[in-house]
Amino acid sequence: MIASPSAPTADRAVTERLNLLDLAPDDALGVLAGFMAESGEAGYRAAQVYARVWARPVGSFDEMTELPKALRLRLAERFDLPRLTLQTRQASTDGTQKFLFSLRDGQSIETVAIPEGNRLTLCISSQAGCALQCAFCATGAMGFQRNLTPSEIAGQVRELRLLDPPLLATNIVFMGMGEPLMNWKAVDVVLTLLNDPRALGIGARHITVSTVGVLPGIEALAARREQFRLAISIHAPSDALRRTLMPVNVKYPLADVIRAAAAFDRRVTFEYVMLEGVNDQPEHAAQLAQLARDCRAFVNLIPLHPGGALGFTPTPGARIAAFARAMRDRGVEVAVRKSRGLDIAAACGQLRTERLGRRLPVRPEDHEHIDVG
Ligand code: SAH
């Protein structure tokens, strides 16, 4: 049933349906079990329905053709499985694809799918816009619109599974629009949905939360039992410089962020966007190496994605390589990322995070630490 704007009663019926995609698996299975019991259905039906929500998804209850028609109709009256509307899909010559989804209130968000070998990394958005105003970031320039709900965040992964042929993500990075740790309530549920085998079933070590260093959020992530990965956007190795690039540094200064990274019981990755003449000098390499050593971080050097970061130019490749060598000479593990989807990012200009690693050689025992997609 589709509610039309001129039919307020129908509208109300739609909003009263419970959105199953906003619930963690235990909660969703609980309400489904209750519904089956009160409808006189067999108990196994709850898990049967839930398997078609995330794991082998279909777009609507009506498509769950293994269920009796009458049950499908009653499920659709009681529960909502909201879709994200695919507005545009663009493919880069390098295989990267970008999806623009519109939400029920008209906001739009981007998701990027980055293939590499056997892996498919999805870069997902956690907010519409962003409040943080990092100087080189195009999303910051859009301002903050609102937090996304769990169904809108995990729904990006579900929508790509619903494509024909499906795109099945092996890795997830929260490196799309927004600051995930400023939307922890939703991201907390999403992490469960991504990881739980009854939902999306992606290994925790293949799921990376990227943050500017929101301390309460880092503590909340650290408190989770699963081995989710943490990436921290450092981008400048001193408070004085970082403040000019990332206003959030006033609230969460570097020393506190590094302390939180050191306390995190899993290895942390630093993200460092190379800005020509700004943060790419030899003294910056020395300072950054010290910070990385202080918390045993792995460092990703990221070429600036051009087009949108007004006033900044990318550090040339040779200089990035020299910066990486200077870090390695100080005993820090470092990778130089490769910009991906440059052609399609230029066309849209919101997300500038389509990147993938081209790694410098690392010791074999360190390989497991570097697959932040
Ligand atoms: N708010 C989170 C996650 C979203 S941004 C965070 O800041 O970590 C994901 C990454 O893309 C961050 O490291 C961000 O600094 C980086 N980024 C933003 N603009 C970029 C650009 N123009 N080129 C390269 N990386 C960029």
Side-chain angles (χ1 to χ4, degrees), residues 84 131 139 157 161 184 190-191 236 240 255 278-279 314 351:
L84 310 181
T139 305
V157 185
R161 280 197 184 187
W184 174 251
V190 170
L191 289 171
V278 175
N279 65 354
L351 268 191

Side-chain angles (χ1 to χ4, degrees), residues 215 232 234 253-263 270 291-292 294-295:
L215 295 176
I232 302 182
I234 297 288
L254 263 178
D256 295 346
V257 173
I258 301 301
R259 210 173 300 122
F270 284 178
L291 295 180
D294 287 347
C295 60

Side-chain angles (χ1 to χ4, degrees), residues 123-124 126-127 130 132 134 136-139 174-181 209-213 231-235 246 271-275 302-309 339 350-355:
C123 177
I124 62 173
S126 57
Q127 299 180 316
C130 185
L132 295 174
C134 297
F136 47 84
C137 176
T139 305
F174 285 80
M175 294 185 185
M177 296 163 66
E179 167 51 50
L181 296 186
V209 175
S210 180
T211 179
V212 294
I232 302 182
S233 296
I234 297 288
H235 302 328
M246 303 174 68
E271 307 279 307
Y272 195 90
V273 176
M274 300 293 293
L275 306 167
I302 305 161
L304 176 70
H305 218 299
S339 287
Q350 288 183 355
L351 268 191
R352 315 206 170 268
T353 52
E354 302 90 338
R355 317 175 302 259

